[in-house]
Amino acid sequence: MDDAKWERWGALGGILFVVLVAITAILPGYPPKTGDSAAKIANFINDNGDEIRWAATSGGLAVIALFWWLGSVWRLMRRGEGGSPRLTVTALAGAVFAAATATIGAINLAVIPVIGTHTFGNSQIRYFYILSTNIAVATLFGAAAFVGAFSLLIIRRHVLPPIIGWLGLIVAVLGIVGGPVVSSTRDVFFYAAFAGFIAFLVWVVIVSILMFMRAGDQIEVDVVGA
């Protein structure tokens, strides 16, 4: 398989990542907010135990797709940045942090239905739910670092249309605004975090499509430059 095809397959990894993340989010249904009562949270986990466990598995598969996509993102960013890859390293570190926190949060939540809700009191279930949710939401900080660094490079080096970079900076800001949900049960932070999460997924899809469309052209530029 030639480099152009590898680049295109790598770009499609971003779309697969978003699909798997969407499945992970949809499987358990609409989750209660961390500020909801212990009884409501316990009922949600009791009613959706199997879905929560399967969501942890699909979330793990999403990480594989993400890392596949990151290979192409790294190559695109290194090609555009050249020299010392400050933004490239920042973006990669942010993405890895986001993947780690999302995975830990999902596994932590799945522990409750695996063991059985009958072994916990409602207050204990609420504790684990808030803990796992806050760990998972910390993903937004890593996503903000990834999107922010990638977007700055797009704006500076035009590796993709600059408008995508400016939109990415907005996405990064949304992620930071929603980040305080890790230390608060206020609904406003919950909704801000949700908006940042959706914006991040949409941005990844757009970037992946553009990377797929431009992969062959970029390889030709590299060959000519060599």
Side-chain angles (χ1 to χ4, degrees):
M1 187 180 294
D2 59 37
D3 282 350
K5 290 183 178 179
W6 274 117
E7 288 283 313
R8 290 193 176 95
W9 279 109
L12 292 178
I15 297 175
L16 178 60
F17 161 72
V18 171
V19 170
L20 289 170
V21 168
I23 292 173
T24 301
I26 293 171
L27 269 177
Y30 188 76
K33 299 182 289 294
T34 53
D36 287 340
S37 67
K40 183 175 182 178
I41 292 173
N43 288 336
F44 168 78
I45 295 178
N46 187 58
D47 294 341
N48 299 280
D50 290 340
E51 292 83 356
I52 290 171
R53 290 189 288 113
W54 281 111
T57 300
S58 61
L61 295 175
V63 171
I64 297 175
L66 173 65
F67 287 166
W68 176 260
W69 183 58
L70 286 178
S72 292
V73 171
W74 170 273
R75 185 169 183 176
L76 176 67
M77 293 187 69
R78 280 295 288 120
R79 185 188 296 130
E81 190 169 16
S84 180
R86 180 187 301 273
L87 291 174
T88 306
V89 172
T90 300
L92 181 65
V96 171
F97 174 84
T101 53
T103 302
I104 294 171
I107 292 174
N108 189 62
L109 181 61
V111 165
I112 303 174
V114 167
I115 296 176
T117 54
H118 63 279
T119 62
F120 299 95
N122 285 357
S123 60
Q124 291 174 308
I125 291 176
R126 182 172 185 266
Y127 166 79
F128 278 107
Y129 179 79
I130 293 176
L131 176 64
S132 62
T133 299
N134 288 4
I135 291 174
V137 171
T139 296
L140 289 174
F141 294 117
F146 166 73
V147 175
F150 195 177
S151 297
L152 287 174
L153 184 63
I154 291 172
I155 294 169
R156 291 178 58 192
R157 301 294 187 178
H158 294 189
V159 294
L160 292 174
I163 184 61
I164 301 301
W166 291 110
L167 291 175
L169 292 181
I170 296 174
V171 172
V173 170
L174 282 175
I176 295 172
V177 170
V181 76
V182 301
S183 56
S184 174
T185 57
R186 293 184 178 181
D187 290 352
V188 63
F189 293 127
F190 179 87
Y191 291 121
F194 182 74
F197 172 70
I198 296 299
F200 167 70
L201 295 182
V202 172
W203 188 84
V204 169
V205 169
I206 295 172
V207 169
S208 298
I209 292 173
L210 289 173
M211 289 174 61
F212 178 83
M213 293 174 60
R214 295 162 66 104
D217 294 340
Q218 190 60 60
I219 294 297
E220 291 178 6
V221 170
D222 288 349
V223 172
V224 172

